[in-house]
Amino acid sequence: MNATEVAERSFEAKVLEAVPDGERLRLCLECGNCSGICPFGYLMLYPPSRMIAMMRADRINKVLETDTIWMCVSCYACTAVCPSKIPVTPGLMTSIKEELLLVGNVPAELQNALANSQRYGNPLGESPRKRADWTMGIQPEVKVMAKHKQPVDVLWFVGDYASYHPRVQSATKALARVLNALGVDFGILGAEENSDGDSQRLAGERGLFEMLAEKNGRAFSKYQFNKIITSDPHAYNALKNEYPALGISYPLQHYTEFLAERIDQIKLLLKRQISARVTYHDPCYLGRANGVFDPPRELLCAIPGVELAEMTHNHSNSLCCGGGGGGMWLDGFQWEKAHVRLSDWRVREAINTGAEVLAVACPYEPPRFEDAAKTMPGADKLKVRDIAELLAEAMDV
Amino acid sequence: MMNIVVLAKLVPDLVEELTIDASGAALDLTFARWIINELFDDHAIEQGILLKERSGGTVTVIAPDLEGADDVLFTAAAKGADRLIKVRSDFSAANNHAVARAFSAIIKGFQPDLILTGVQAHNDLDGSAGPLLAESLGLPYVGYVSGVALADGKFMVKKEYPGGLIAEMEVTLPAVFGIQAAEQPPRYVAVSKVRQAMKTSSIEEMDASDLDLSGAPEIERMFQPEAAAHAEMLEGTPEEVSAKLVALFKELGVL
Ligand code: SF4
Ligand code: SF4
């Protein structure tokens, strides 16, 4: 075997070992379903099925010379439709991105987000000391664990965009007010919280993911709490499916699951009517990847006046907002290749339902969908609201 | 075999709020995070590695012993640097005159062919470090360099001038270069590679002689930008405004 052959074979071995059911890769039928359903498959030189064919022909090095794999937003659509149940997204796509990263074939935008995550513990490049700044003005005060020094019932893993992004902070504050209204005893890690690292992992930076996970694991172990809730489906995915293998394991819920369990208590507090047709976008990492479809809908339907309308693509068939797997940090790169944003397609579907509100449950989405709505004809009346914002409004808190 | 030395300067991270210390003439650096001078010194490291990859040689990266130096050095090793050196002294209070003297004493011992450093840094209060280092070493200096190459035994550099002019110069080595930009943006190294470098390479520590801060201007006062007096708007037709302007210039004695 020459050196190239060794590299080819080690890539196949890597994919087979990347995830517990990686071996299933051998069962590929070359049906092409994965490439067909991929939202950006038409722009990839080597969409998943073709990449598998290249791997079988020992020609994966050709794939490593191209950059269109960076169109992959790790949305799990391919994985969901594969008849052979091959873990295409976490196995194949993530492994190939890891290889690209090691050979230095990484778009500059993505490098920035990764370097920021290394240095500051968040991809936005914000000061870690300011991670809890959003809590200012919330009453009763949000407890920061390092200061509170007492056990809490619930540790809220807030996440990067929910902590720092000015638009998303409004949803974060709304959730804090809702939790307060319900009398939940909760705390946050503040400056001790680091990025969950999941999108960095799916963008090929496994080492960075582990570094961030270890930091979060150390912070968790300092405090006493009964469970973790999170606003961020990406953090949810990491904490649920990836952290346990690193020895970090706690009972976990997405905030929509946590609140849906308290639906009777919430209903008593929903004083205000929100008369609107509302459509709900299933975030990839809450819905398709983790099967949480009903709790967000239950919460929406509990609000008096809300009429829920489904988009054409819903539940496990939902369309990605374009932010996953590093997409959040590849907007310029992907625009150059596609001249369309995945969020544009989603907003168009939302308009077609006749909805006045596009409800979301992931911190990546408000800025992505609001940006798309700015340029999409017919979207001038469409409001993008996090479910927590709608609940806070209906509770008048 | 070219012996390349890169002086990697660290600067306080501007992501954190800056505060003035009690003396009122310096930054309070108690809680500062020190990072590589990204805009320039990171490019100096990249340029050194590119040169090595293209023409052979060794790259020694040398940095002041500030918190953050280990990260900078191990990252450089993951990129391909051969030797890592951390110089001990109280650099958080040093000016560039002192930095240049301290590092020149150590760098001299390496007998380098070329020394690369960032052309400037946001905390240059007494001129940039490159020319001071060259002066101290008694070597020629070229600043605003955006490309270096060894071809037919000649060493050529590209130097940027304002207005988009670029000069190509032949330089006799040894020399010091202030790097404006590497030929390609600094590469990203995966965390796994940096962690590997931490295991396989080591940082040598050296002591600097006492810091000599002399030669730099003395700072009397350091302060946050203060709102200046409001601008006065001159109203009227263009003719009236220009007449007022001329009168004003005369009053101020500039006409
Ligand atoms: S995860 Fe989504 S974007 Fe990536 S290859 Fe699969 S379908 Fe395409
Ligand atoms: S959908 Fe599954 S079986 Fe079909 S080509 Fe893709 S990976 Fe192979």
Side-chain angles (χ1 to χ4, degrees):
Chain A
M1 251 195 271
N2 64 29
T4 321
E5 278 176 285
V6 172
E8 309 273 4
R9 292 195 196 284
S10 68
F11 178 69
E12 180 163 6
K14 186 174 174 165
V15 181
L16 296 178
E17 284 160 19
V19 279
D21 46 357
E23 293 272 333
R24 299 196 69 86
L25 190 75
R26 296 216 169 95
L27 305 178
C28 174
L29 311 164
E30 284 299 345
C31 67
N33 278 355
C34 49
S35 306
I37 200 158
C38 175
F40 275 149
Y42 71 103
L43 292 168
M44 289 182 193
L45 231 39
Y46 297 101
S49 53
R50 204 163 169 229
M51 202 194 306
I52 295 173
M54 289 298 276
M55 201 178 71
R56 287 177 168 174
D58 280 348
R59 297 181 66 196
I60 202 74
N61 277 357
K62 277 263 164 283
V63 180
L64 291 175
E65 286 161 15
T66 66
D67 65 356
T68 50
I69 285 153
W70 292 118
M71 297 308 286
C72 167
V73 289
S74 301
C75 69
Y76 267 76
C78 50
T79 314
V81 298
C82 174
S84 293
K85 302 211 170 0
I86 295 167
V88 185
T89 312
L92 183 70
M93 299 312 288
T94 307
S95 299
I96 193 80
K97 289 185 198 171
E98 282 172 16
E99 293 301 304
L100 286 174
L101 200 99
L102 285 175
V103 299
N105 182 351
V106 196
E109 294 167 83
L110 181 58
Q111 290 190 18
N112 267 342
L114 298 176
N116 282 337
S117 306
Q118 268 191 47
R119 183 178 292 157
Y120 304 110
N122 69 78
L124 298 94
E126 295 284 345
S127 160
R129 290 169 205 164
K130 295 181 184 154
R131 200 163 175 112
D133 280 10
W134 64 267
T135 59
M136 271 210 297
I138 306 253
Q139 284 303 329
E141 245 175 64
V142 176
K143 297 165 207 143
V144 179
M145 296 306 280
K147 248 196 260 161
H148 182 58
K149 295 195 176 79
Q150 305 276 324
V152 290
D153 181 25
V154 172
L155 182 73
W156 176 9
F157 189 92
V158 184
D160 300 321
Y161 286 83
S163 296
Y164 291 113
H165 193 288
R167 166 62 185 90
V168 190
Q169 278 176 347
S170 125
T172 314
K173 288 182 195 171
L175 181 54
R177 291 196 299 268
V178 169
L179 293 173
N180 276 340
L182 293 170
V184 177
D185 172 28
F186 71 97
I188 63 169
L189 291 174
E192 287 184 282
E193 183 182 288
N194 274 270
S195 175
D196 54 271
D198 210 45
S199 292
Q200 293 88 331
R201 175 181 67 84
L202 291 156
E205 238 303 19
R206 173 94 210 163
L208 175 58
F209 166 76
E210 284 173 4
M211 182 180 111
L212 294 166
E214 282 162 20
K215 286 187 182 173
N216 283 323
R218 272 199 297 278
F220 293 148
S221 67
K222 283 165 74 175
Y223 305 109
Q224 272 183 294
F225 50 86
N226 296 321
K227 70 164 75 156
I228 298 179
I229 63 167
T230 179
S231 341
D232 190 334
H234 302 273
Y236 180 82
N237 187 62
L239 287 161
K240 183 177 165 200
N241 303 318
E242 302 292 328
Y243 279 32
L246 302 171
I248 306 160
S249 176
Y250 296 94
L252 172 76
Q253 284 183 313
H254 184 253
Y255 87 82
T256 55
E257 294 176 289
F258 179 81
L259 294 181
E261 262 178 22
R262 286 157 182 76
I263 196 89
D264 294 332
Q265 193 193 351
I266 289 173
K267 276 183 183 159
L268 300 174
L269 298 169
L270 298 170
K271 323 178 230 196
R272 280 224 227 143
Q273 175 112 355
I274 300 183
S275 303
R277 202 173 158 82
V278 176
T279 190
Y280 169 65
H281 165 78
D282 286 282
C284 304
Y285 280 86
L286 195 57
R288 196 157 39 228
N290 287 301
V292 180
F293 297 111
D294 296 337
R297 290 178 169 81
E298 270 172 56
L299 292 169
L300 288 171
C301 292
I303 300 172
V306 164
E307 181 202 340
L308 190 66
E310 292 290 353
M311 287 182 266
T312 318
H313 293 87
N314 61 65
H315 289 76
S316 64
N317 199 25
S318 170
L319 277 184
C320 179
C321 76
M328 205 64 187
W329 315 307
L330 285 163
D331 278 321
F333 175 87
Q334 295 188 341
W335 176 263
E336 267 180 35
K337 301 254 189 249
H339 286 279
V340 69
R341 296 176 289 202
L342 295 186
S343 47
D344 292 342
W345 295 345
R346 198 55 170 158
V347 164
R348 196 178 301 138
E349 278 202 354
I351 300 167
N352 289 343
T353 63
E356 291 127 314
V357 175
L358 170 54
V360 299
C362 169
Y364 285 10
E365 286 152 4
R368 300 193 78 78
F369 288 148
E370 279 176 3
D371 277 356
K374 279 173 203 156
T375 53
M376 184 61 56
D380 38 335
K381 290 206 186 71
L382 186 75
K383 287 201 193 95
V384 182
R385 309 292 302 277
D386 193 281
I387 293 177
E389 291 174 308
L390 293 170
L391 287 173
E393 186 183 328
M395 286 181 176
D396 198 14
V397 291
Chain B
M1 283 275 280
M2 233 178 326
N3 180 0
I4 306 162
V5 171
V6 182
L7 164 56
K9 297 188 297 297
L10 276 70
V11 292
D13 190 350
L14 299 181
V15 160
E16 305 297 353
E17 310 283 343
L18 294 181
T19 46
I20 313 291
D21 75 4
S23 76
L27 288 175
D28 182 353
L29 296 169
T30 330
F31 299 109
R33 182 205 323 273
W34 291 87
I35 59 170
I36 178 91
N37 174 24
E38 282 177 300
L39 292 177
F40 304 103
D41 289 65
D42 212 9
H43 283 256
I45 295 175
E46 182 65 33
Q47 186 63 72
I49 307 271
L50 286 173
L51 195 59
K52 171 191 159 174
E53 286 173 349
R54 216 166 39 214
S55 313
T58 58
V59 176
T60 302
V61 179
I62 177 166
D65 182 14
L66 289 159
E67 198 203 320
D70 288 15
D71 274 354
V72 170
L73 292 171
F74 284 127
T75 305
K79 291 178 181 180
D82 304 278
R83 196 174 165 196
L84 315 173
I85 293 164
K86 193 161 75 171
V87 179
R88 277 186 300 228
S89 196
D90 182 18
F91 284 109
S92 68
N95 58 27
N96 279 343
H97 282 72
V99 166
R101 286 184 196 112
F103 279 89
S104 74
I106 289 171
I107 291 174
K108 206 174 266 168
F110 302 154
Q111 296 180 307
D113 297 304
L114 66 160
I115 298 149
L116 311 176
T117 192
V119 69
Q120 58 188 1
H122 65 62
N123 63 347
D124 286 342
L125 291 174
D126 56 334
S128 56
L132 292 166
L133 182 68
E135 160 76 19
S136 190
L137 287 164
L139 294 178
Y141 173 80
V142 184
Y144 300 94
V145 168
S146 59
V148 296
L150 185 66
D152 307 326
K154 285 185 196 159
F155 198 79
M156 304 293 296
V157 300
K158 277 194 189 140
K159 177 184 165 83
E160 288 188 14
Y161 285 94
L165 278 182
I166 291 184
E168 281 188 342
M169 309 182 175
E170 188 186 332
V171 183
T172 311
L173 299 181
V176 180
F177 300 114
I179 302 295
Q180 162 84 4
E183 287 148 44
Q184 65 186 44
R187 64 195 76 186
Y188 180 79
V189 275
V191 167
S192 60
K193 281 194 178 176
V194 179
R195 284 191 165 182
Q196 210 178 336
M198 285 177 176
K199 286 188 197 133
T200 53
S201 45
S202 57
I203 296 175
E204 297 166 53
E205 298 194 11
M206 295 189 176
D207 285 311
S209 47
D210 283 344
L211 292 178
D212 172 5
L213 295 128
S214 66
E218 216 165 286
I219 296 156
E220 285 180 6
R221 180 176 168 234
M222 195 178 272
F223 53 100
Q224 302 278 358
E226 289 167 357
H230 290 291
E232 187 188 330
M233 300 305 288
L234 301 178
E235 316 255 347
T237 63
E239 287 75 18
E240 287 164 358
V241 170
S242 39
K244 283 183 197 167
L245 207 52
V246 169
L248 202 65
F249 282 150
K250 283 191 176 149
E251 192 189 309
L252 291 171
V254 290
L255 264 185

Short mmCIF file of all heavy atoms in Angstrom, two decimals, chain B residues 113-160:
data_model
loop_
_atom_site.label_atom_id
_atom_site.label_comp_id
_atom_site.label_asym_id
_atom_site.label_seq_id
_atom_site.Cartn_x
_atom_site.Cartn_y
_atom_site.Cartn_z
N ASP B 113 19.58 34.39 10.57
CA ASP B 113 19.71 35.02 9.25
C ASP B 113 18.66 36.09 9.09
O ASP B 113 18.90 37.12 8.49
CB ASP B 113 19.53 33.98 8.15
CG ASP B 113 20.60 32.91 8.22
OD1 ASP B 113 21.78 33.29 8.19
OD2 ASP B 113 20.26 31.72 8.35
N LEU B 114 17.46 35.80 9.59
CA LEU B 114 16.47 36.86 9.55
C LEU B 114 15.57 36.80 10.77
O LEU B 114 15.33 35.74 11.33
CB LEU B 114 15.66 36.90 8.26
CG LEU B 114 14.72 35.78 7.91
CD1 LEU B 114 13.71 36.28 6.90
CD2 LEU B 114 15.51 34.66 7.28
N ILE B 115 15.11 37.99 11.14
CA ILE B 115 14.27 38.13 12.31
C ILE B 115 12.97 38.79 11.85
O ILE B 115 12.99 39.84 11.21
CB ILE B 115 14.96 39.02 13.36
CG1 ILE B 115 16.27 38.36 13.78
CG2 ILE B 115 14.07 39.25 14.57
CD1 ILE B 115 17.34 39.34 14.15
N LEU B 116 11.87 38.13 12.13
CA LEU B 116 10.57 38.66 11.73
C LEU B 116 9.78 39.06 12.96
O LEU B 116 9.84 38.37 13.98
CB LEU B 116 9.76 37.61 10.95
CG LEU B 116 10.44 36.88 9.81
CD1 LEU B 116 9.51 35.81 9.24
CD2 LEU B 116 10.84 37.87 8.72
N THR B 117 9.06 40.16 12.84
CA THR B 117 8.14 40.53 13.92
C THR B 117 7.01 41.35 13.31
O THR B 117 7.11 41.78 12.16
CB THR B 117 8.88 41.30 15.05
OG1 THR B 117 8.02 41.39 16.18
CG2 THR B 117 9.31 42.68 14.61
N GLY B 118 5.93 41.53 14.03
CA GLY B 118 4.81 42.32 13.51
C GLY B 118 5.24 43.77 13.33
O GLY B 118 6.01 44.30 14.13
N VAL B 119 4.73 44.41 12.28
CA VAL B 119 5.20 45.77 11.98
C VAL B 119 4.75 46.77 13.04
O VAL B 119 5.43 47.76 13.29
CB VAL B 119 4.76 46.21 10.57
CG1 VAL B 119 3.25 46.43 10.49
CG2 VAL B 119 5.49 47.48 10.14
N GLN B 120 3.62 46.50 13.66
CA GLN B 120 3.17 47.40 14.73
C GLN B 120 2.20 46.67 15.64
O GLN B 120 1.80 45.55 15.35
CB GLN B 120 2.51 48.64 14.14
CG GLN B 120 1.33 48.34 13.26
CD GLN B 120 0.80 49.58 12.53
OE1 GLN B 120 1.32 50.66 12.67
NE2 GLN B 120 -0.24 49.41 11.76
N ALA B 121 1.87 47.36 16.75
CA ALA B 121 0.93 46.76 17.70
C ALA B 121 0.13 47.90 18.31
O ALA B 121 0.58 49.05 18.33
CB ALA B 121 1.68 46.02 18.80
N HIS B 122 -1.07 47.59 18.80
CA HIS B 122 -1.92 48.69 19.29
C HIS B 122 -1.38 49.31 20.58
O HIS B 122 -1.82 50.36 20.98
CB HIS B 122 -3.38 48.24 19.44
CG HIS B 122 -3.63 47.19 20.47
ND1 HIS B 122 -3.37 47.39 21.80
CD2 HIS B 122 -4.10 45.93 20.37
CE1 HIS B 122 -3.69 46.30 22.48
NE2 HIS B 122 -4.12 45.39 21.63
N ASN B 123 -0.41 48.64 21.22
CA ASN B 123 0.15 49.24 22.44
C ASN B 123 1.55 49.83 22.23
O ASN B 123 2.31 49.98 23.17
CB ASN B 123 0.13 48.23 23.59
CG ASN B 123 1.01 47.02 23.31
OD1 ASN B 123 1.42 46.82 22.16
ND2 ASN B 123 1.29 46.22 24.32
N ASP B 124 1.86 50.14 20.96
CA ASP B 124 3.14 50.81 20.67
C ASP B 124 3.05 52.27 21.11
O ASP B 124 2.55 53.11 20.37
CB ASP B 124 3.41 50.81 19.15
CG ASP B 124 3.83 49.45 18.63
OD1 ASP B 124 4.24 48.59 19.44
OD2 ASP B 124 3.75 49.26 17.40
N LEU B 125 3.55 52.59 22.29
CA LEU B 125 3.49 53.99 22.72
C LEU B 125 4.80 54.71 22.46
O LEU B 125 4.88 55.92 22.47
CB LEU B 125 3.15 54.08 24.22
CG LEU B 125 1.74 53.65 24.58
CD1 LEU B 125 1.56 53.64 26.08
CD2 LEU B 125 0.70 54.54 23.92
N ASP B 126 5.85 53.93 22.24
CA ASP B 126 7.16 54.56 22.02
C ASP B 126 7.79 54.04 20.73
O ASP B 126 8.95 53.69 20.68
CB ASP B 126 8.09 54.28 23.22
CG ASP B 126 8.25 52.80 23.51
OD1 ASP B 126 7.33 52.02 23.16
OD2 ASP B 126 9.29 52.40 24.06
N GLY B 127 6.98 53.98 19.68
CA GLY B 127 7.48 53.49 18.40
C GLY B 127 7.34 51.99 18.34
O GLY B 127 7.13 51.33 19.36
N SER B 128 7.44 51.43 17.14
CA SER B 128 7.24 49.99 17.03
C SER B 128 8.53 49.24 17.39
O SER B 128 9.63 49.78 17.33
CB SER B 128 6.72 49.61 15.65
OG SER B 128 7.58 50.08 14.67
N ALA B 129 8.35 47.98 17.77
CA ALA B 129 9.47 47.22 18.32
C ALA B 129 10.52 46.84 17.27
O ALA B 129 11.71 46.78 17.57
CB ALA B 129 8.94 45.97 19.01
N GLY B 130 10.07 46.59 16.03
CA GLY B 130 10.98 46.12 14.98
C GLY B 130 12.22 46.97 14.78
O GLY B 130 13.36 46.49 14.92
N PRO B 131 12.04 48.27 14.44
CA PRO B 131 13.22 49.12 14.21
C PRO B 131 14.09 49.26 15.46
O PRO B 131 15.32 49.32 15.36
CB PRO B 131 12.63 50.48 13.82
CG PRO B 131 11.17 50.31 13.71
CD PRO B 131 10.78 48.93 14.14
N LEU B 132 13.47 49.27 16.63
CA LEU B 132 14.25 49.38 17.87
C LEU B 132 15.11 48.13 18.06
O LEU B 132 16.26 48.20 18.49
CB LEU B 132 13.32 49.56 19.07
CG LEU B 132 12.56 50.90 19.13
CD1 LEU B 132 11.43 50.85 20.14
CD2 LEU B 132 13.53 52.04 19.46
N LEU B 133 14.53 46.98 17.70
CA LEU B 133 15.26 45.72 17.80
C LEU B 133 16.44 45.72 16.83
O LEU B 133 17.57 45.35 17.18
CB LEU B 133 14.30 44.56 17.49
CG LEU B 133 14.86 43.16 17.60
CD1 LEU B 133 15.18 42.81 19.05
CD2 LEU B 133 13.85 42.14 17.04
N ALA B 134 16.18 46.18 15.59
CA ALA B 134 17.23 46.23 14.57
C ALA B 134 18.37 47.15 15.02
O ALA B 134 19.55 46.82 14.89
CB ALA B 134 16.65 46.71 13.24
N GLU B 135 17.99 48.28 15.58
CA GLU B 135 18.98 49.25 16.08
C GLU B 135 19.85 48.59 17.16
O GLU B 135 21.07 48.67 17.13
CB GLU B 135 18.20 50.46 16.65
CG GLU B 135 18.95 51.35 17.61
CD GLU B 135 19.96 52.25 16.90
OE1 GLU B 135 19.79 52.43 15.68
OE2 GLU B 135 20.89 52.74 17.57
N SER B 136 19.18 47.91 18.05
CA SER B 136 19.88 47.29 19.15
C SER B 136 20.80 46.16 18.68
O SER B 136 21.85 45.90 19.27
CB SER B 136 18.82 46.78 20.12
OG SER B 136 19.37 46.36 21.31
N LEU B 137 20.39 45.50 17.59
CA LEU B 137 21.21 44.41 17.05
C LEU B 137 22.25 44.91 16.04
O LEU B 137 23.11 44.14 15.59
CB LEU B 137 20.32 43.38 16.34
CG LEU B 137 19.45 42.46 17.21
CD1 LEU B 137 18.37 41.80 16.37
CD2 LEU B 137 20.29 41.42 17.92
N GLY B 138 22.11 46.18 15.65
CA GLY B 138 23.00 46.73 14.63
C GLY B 138 22.75 46.11 13.26
O GLY B 138 23.68 45.89 12.47
N LEU B 139 21.47 45.79 12.96
CA LEU B 139 21.12 45.17 11.68
C LEU B 139 20.20 46.08 10.87
O LEU B 139 19.53 46.94 11.44
CB LEU B 139 20.40 43.83 11.93
CG LEU B 139 21.19 42.71 12.58
CD1 LEU B 139 20.29 41.49 12.79
CD2 LEU B 139 22.40 42.34 11.71
N PRO B 140 20.15 45.88 9.54
CA PRO B 140 19.19 46.66 8.74
C PRO B 140 17.76 46.25 9.04
O PRO B 140 17.50 45.13 9.48
CB PRO B 140 19.56 46.34 7.30
CG PRO B 140 20.36 45.10 7.36
CD PRO B 140 20.99 45.01 8.71
N TYR B 141 16.83 47.20 8.79
CA TYR B 141 15.40 46.95 9.04
C TYR B 141 14.59 47.35 7.82
O TYR B 141 14.81 48.39 7.23
CB TYR B 141 14.95 47.76 10.25
CG TYR B 141 13.45 47.69 10.48
CD1 TYR B 141 12.89 46.59 11.13
CD2 TYR B 141 12.59 48.72 10.05
CE1 TYR B 141 11.51 46.51 11.34
CE2 TYR B 141 11.22 48.65 10.27
CZ TYR B 141 10.68 47.54 10.91
OH TYR B 141 9.33 47.46 11.12
N VAL B 142 13.63 46.50 7.46
CA VAL B 142 12.62 46.89 6.48
C VAL B 142 11.25 46.63 7.10
O VAL B 142 11.00 45.53 7.60
CB VAL B 142 12.75 46.08 5.16
CG1 VAL B 142 11.74 46.59 4.13
CG2 VAL B 142 14.16 46.14 4.60
N GLY B 143 10.40 47.64 7.07
CA GLY B 143 9.06 47.50 7.65
C GLY B 143 7.99 47.42 6.58
O GLY B 143 8.27 47.57 5.39
N TYR B 144 6.76 47.17 7.00
CA TYR B 144 5.60 47.05 6.10
C TYR B 144 5.85 46.02 5.01
O TYR B 144 5.55 46.22 3.84
CB TYR B 144 5.23 48.43 5.52
CG TYR B 144 4.88 49.37 6.63
CD1 TYR B 144 5.85 50.22 7.17
CD2 TYR B 144 3.62 49.36 7.20
CE1 TYR B 144 5.55 51.04 8.26
CE2 TYR B 144 3.31 50.17 8.28
CZ TYR B 144 4.29 51.01 8.80
OH TYR B 144 3.99 51.80 9.87
N VAL B 145 6.42 44.89 5.42
CA VAL B 145 6.77 43.83 4.48
C VAL B 145 5.56 42.91 4.31
O VAL B 145 4.91 42.52 5.27
CB VAL B 145 7.99 43.04 5.00
CG1 VAL B 145 8.19 41.75 4.22
CG2 VAL B 145 9.23 43.92 4.95
N SER B 146 5.27 42.60 3.02
CA SER B 146 4.12 41.71 2.78
C SER B 146 4.51 40.51 1.91
O SER B 146 3.69 39.95 1.22
CB SER B 146 2.98 42.49 2.12
OG SER B 146 3.43 43.05 0.91
N GLY B 147 5.77 40.15 1.96
CA GLY B 147 6.21 38.97 1.22
C GLY B 147 7.72 38.88 1.25
O GLY B 147 8.41 39.89 1.17
N VAL B 148 8.25 37.68 1.46
CA VAL B 148 9.70 37.49 1.45
C VAL B 148 10.01 36.26 0.62
O VAL B 148 9.21 35.33 0.57
CB VAL B 148 10.28 37.29 2.88
CG1 VAL B 148 10.08 38.53 3.73
CG2 VAL B 148 9.67 36.09 3.57
N ALA B 149 11.14 36.26 -0.06
CA ALA B 149 11.47 35.09 -0.88
C ALA B 149 12.97 34.98 -1.05
O ALA B 149 13.70 35.98 -1.12
CB ALA B 149 10.81 35.22 -2.25
N LEU B 150 13.43 33.74 -1.07
CA LEU B 150 14.83 33.47 -1.34
C LEU B 150 14.89 32.92 -2.77
O LEU B 150 14.27 31.90 -3.06
CB LEU B 150 15.34 32.42 -0.34
CG LEU B 150 16.83 32.09 -0.39
CD1 LEU B 150 17.66 33.29 0.04
CD2 LEU B 150 17.12 30.90 0.54
N ALA B 151 15.58 33.64 -3.67
CA ALA B 151 15.65 33.17 -5.05
C ALA B 151 17.04 33.43 -5.59
O ALA B 151 17.56 34.53 -5.47
CB ALA B 151 14.61 33.90 -5.91
N ASP B 152 17.65 32.42 -6.16
CA ASP B 152 19.01 32.49 -6.72
C ASP B 152 19.99 33.09 -5.73
O ASP B 152 20.79 33.97 -6.07
CB ASP B 152 19.03 33.34 -8.02
CG ASP B 152 17.98 32.86 -9.01
OD1 ASP B 152 17.75 31.63 -9.04
OD2 ASP B 152 17.41 33.71 -9.72
N GLY B 153 19.91 32.69 -4.51
CA GLY B 153 20.85 33.18 -3.51
C GLY B 153 20.60 34.61 -3.08
O GLY B 153 21.32 35.16 -2.26
N LYS B 154 19.57 35.23 -3.65
CA LYS B 154 19.25 36.61 -3.25
C LYS B 154 18.02 36.60 -2.35
O LYS B 154 17.11 35.81 -2.56
CB LYS B 154 18.91 37.46 -4.47
CG LYS B 154 20.10 37.85 -5.29
CD LYS B 154 19.61 38.77 -6.38
CE LYS B 154 20.64 38.91 -7.48
NZ LYS B 154 20.01 39.37 -8.72
N PHE B 155 18.01 37.54 -1.41
CA PHE B 155 16.85 37.61 -0.54
C PHE B 155 16.03 38.84 -0.93
O PHE B 155 16.51 39.96 -0.89
CB PHE B 155 17.27 37.67 0.92
CG PHE B 155 16.14 37.30 1.82
CD1 PHE B 155 15.80 35.97 2.01
CD2 PHE B 155 15.38 38.28 2.44
CE1 PHE B 155 14.71 35.61 2.80
CE2 PHE B 155 14.30 37.94 3.23
CZ PHE B 155 13.97 36.60 3.42
N MET B 156 14.79 38.59 -1.35
CA MET B 156 13.95 39.68 -1.83
C MET B 156 12.77 39.90 -0.87
O MET B 156 12.20 38.94 -0.37
CB MET B 156 13.35 39.33 -3.20
CG MET B 156 14.37 38.99 -4.27
SD MET B 156 15.40 40.41 -4.73
CE MET B 156 14.17 41.52 -5.44
N VAL B 157 12.43 41.16 -0.63
CA VAL B 157 11.23 41.44 0.16
C VAL B 157 10.32 42.40 -0.60
O VAL B 157 10.78 43.20 -1.42
CB VAL B 157 11.53 42.05 1.55
CG1 VAL B 157 12.38 41.13 2.38
CG2 VAL B 157 12.15 43.43 1.44
N LYS B 158 9.03 42.29 -0.31
CA LYS B 158 8.05 43.24 -0.85
C LYS B 158 7.68 44.17 0.29
O LYS B 158 7.32 43.72 1.36
CB LYS B 158 6.78 42.50 -1.28
CG LYS B 158 6.88 41.90 -2.65
CD LYS B 158 5.51 41.51 -3.12
CE LYS B 158 5.66 40.69 -4.40
NZ LYS B 158 4.77 39.57 -4.48
N LYS B 159 7.78 45.46 0.00
CA LYS B 159 7.43 46.43 1.04
C LYS B 159 6.27 47.28 0.54
O LYS B 159 6.29 47.75 -0.60
CB LYS B 159 8.64 47.32 1.33
CG LYS B 159 8.38 48.43 2.35
CD LYS B 159 9.62 49.32 2.49
CE LYS B 159 9.30 50.63 3.21
NZ LYS B 159 9.28 50.53 4.65
N GLU B 160 5.28 47.45 1.40
CA GLU B 160 4.10 48.23 1.01
C GLU B 160 4.29 49.70 1.36
O GLU B 160 4.76 50.03 2.45
CB GLU B 160 2.85 47.70 1.73
CG GLU B 160 2.39 46.37 1.21
CD GLU B 160 1.05 45.95 1.79
OE1 GLU B 160 0.36 46.80 2.39
OE2 GLU B 160 0.71 44.76 1.62
#
